[in-house]
Amino acid sequence: MPDTLLLSAFHAETKASGFYRDRIGSGERPTKLRMMDRSFSAPEKADDADRLLYTRESVREFPDLRVADRSFNEPQNLSDVNPQQSDYRWATVELVEWTSANGEQLDGLLYTPEDFDPDKEYPMMTYFYEQYSDDLHEHYAPEAH
């Protein structure tokens, strides 16, 4: 019986992430276990059970602790660390693409308020950094600087 390996996956275009299982030496392609528009931590296997502990997050979803079997079936939420977040309007984020002045295809993130109306005008802050678009599904709590 071939050994199995848990693989972390990241889709470079959609920024989705998840996990695949590879049966080493089987000649088969890796099997998709879970892939979604979220960011996942590296799972930790329990010493005395066939369960994995991990976090899952998005711009609106705090990275609470979750547990699931080794196929990521029937995940259960174990914590609710940031319940007060539901009392506030939260951002939305979308991946945007454009062509630079020298013809290079670029992508970035556009954050908007929860109740954003595209027909209204809003003040805008712009911040460019070459690698933030991979963080599309990361949770960032607002903070004062």
Side-chain angles (χ1 to χ4, degrees), residues 58 68 144:
S58 74

Side-chain angles (χ1 to χ4, degrees), residues 50-54 66-76:
D50 206 20
R51 309 288 285 164
L52 299 172
L53 178 70
Y54 62 97
R66 296 175 181 271
V67 66
D69 67 16
R70 290 174 38 146
S71 293
F72 291 89
N73 292 321
E74 300 180 21
Q76 297 172 326

